[in-house]
Amino acid sequence: NAGVTQTPKFQVLKTGQSMTLQCAQDMNHEYMSWYRQDPGMGLRLIHYSVGAGITDQGEVPNGYNVSRSTTEDFPLRLLSAAPSQTSVYFCASSRAGYSYEQYFGPGTRLTVT
Amino acid sequence: GIQVEQSPPDLILQEGANSTLRCNFSDSVNNLQWFHQNPWGQLINLFYIPSGTKQNGRLSATTVATERYSLLYISSSQTTDSGVYFCAGSSNFGNEKLTFGTGTRLTIIP
């Protein structure tokens, strides 16, 4: 199994540009989520999904959109990038929800200039 | 949601030393997880430990949910143990989102 994969590994955007961070898992996990990690802080939940077709907001959802058309994929879209979105983004999956063991992808380091 | 505090924020040890990392919660937790983020940024789940004690090699963890804390023990530290250790928990099983602490940065000196 590849586990949780994320692309790209690094990305530089200009303010106002849009892009999609990709996340995929091959463990048939129902639950997937996106976190951002900023220096000196723990991980903060952006959006999550409990299954295909179902998404919900986390702690810091503003400026981000998600969709879940398949069990395997959970892309994160930045519609109009802002410098405040400079961060490291992690995708995670688990068997059924927050309360189960979380598996993380390798992360995407995003810089917005 | 719950608040999560980790201590100490930084820890520097000689190779071979033992260490104890602590995680305190503002409310009772039904679910708790420990993660290691290595120097390359990868997050690895170490323990899913809502209560009791678990051991995996040189690492072990104990959670006392009713007293709102968890401990991570690392024995005979190796340089590969360096990185940041996070704990995360939620207050209601399956309903509350995971809240992460700000981490303990562990540096093991050869």
Side-chain angles (χ1 to χ4, degrees):
Chain A
N1 284 355
V4 181
T5 58
Q6 290 183 237
T7 55
K9 285 188 168 49
F10 302 94
Q11 183 70 49
V12 179
L13 290 178
K14 288 186 171 23
T15 298
Q17 286 184 316
S18 63
M19 79 159 296
T20 299
L21 308 185
Q22 301 292 344
C23 174
Q25 52 89 11
D26 61 358
M27 297 174 281
N28 202 31
H29 284 170
E30 289 296 320
Y31 179 82
M32 296 184 74
S33 54
W34 277 101
Y35 292 86
R36 60 177 288 172
Q37 183 179 28
D38 300 301
M41 303 181 74
L43 278 74
R44 292 184 293 169
L45 183 65
I46 304 171
H47 284 287
Y48 67 96
S49 169
V50 299
I54 306 169
T55 64
D56 206 346
Q57 296 182 349
E59 182 185 354
V60 287
N62 292 343
Y64 308 96
N65 277 358
V66 292
S67 60
R68 183 99 178 267
S69 56
T70 67
T71 299
E72 294 78 19
D73 300 296
F74 190 44
L76 178 72
R77 296 184 186 84
L78 284 71
L79 300 179
S80 179
S84 60
Q85 293 179 304
T86 293
S87 188
V88 180
Y89 291 85
F90 288 96
C91 178
S93 74
S94 68
R95 184 160 55 91
Y98 317 109
S99 301
Y100 293 87
E101 186 176 356
Q102 301 284 318
Y103 294 86
F104 282 87
T108 294
R109 186 174 294 274
L110 175 69
T111 302
V112 182
T113 61
Chain B
I2 59 172
Q3 306 298 314
V4 182
E5 284 187 11
Q6 290 188 245
S7 60
D10 292 281
L11 190 56
I12 301 174
L13 296 173
Q14 204 76 34
E15 196 169 24
N18 301 329
S19 59
T20 301
L21 282 57
R22 187 177 179 100
C23 188
N24 288 336
F25 294 87
S26 59
D27 201 351
S28 296
V29 289
N30 289 327
N31 143 60
L32 189 139
Q33 303 181 42
W34 282 97
F35 299 88
H36 175 221
Q37 186 169 38
N38 65 26
W40 296 271
Q42 178 68 44
L43 278 157
I44 304 296
N45 194 303
L46 297 175
F47 293 103
Y48 171 70
I49 184 165
S51 64
T53 298
K54 287 186 179 179
Q55 180 151 7
N56 185 1
R58 295 180 296 102
L59 274 61
S60 64
T62 295
T63 296
V64 184
T66 53
E67 295 187 21
R68 299 176 291 174
Y69 74 89
S70 182
L71 302 173
L72 178 69
Y73 306 96
I74 304 174
S75 64
S76 304
S77 300
Q78 300 175 358
T79 55
T80 52
D81 295 330
S82 294
V84 183
Y85 290 81
F86 291 100
C87 63
S90 61
S91 60
N92 293 312
F93 187 81
N95 295 324
E96 281 286 316
K97 302 172 184 58
L98 273 182
T99 298
F100 282 76
T102 54
T104 291
R105 181 174 297 278
L106 177 65
T107 303
I108 304 299
I109 301 171

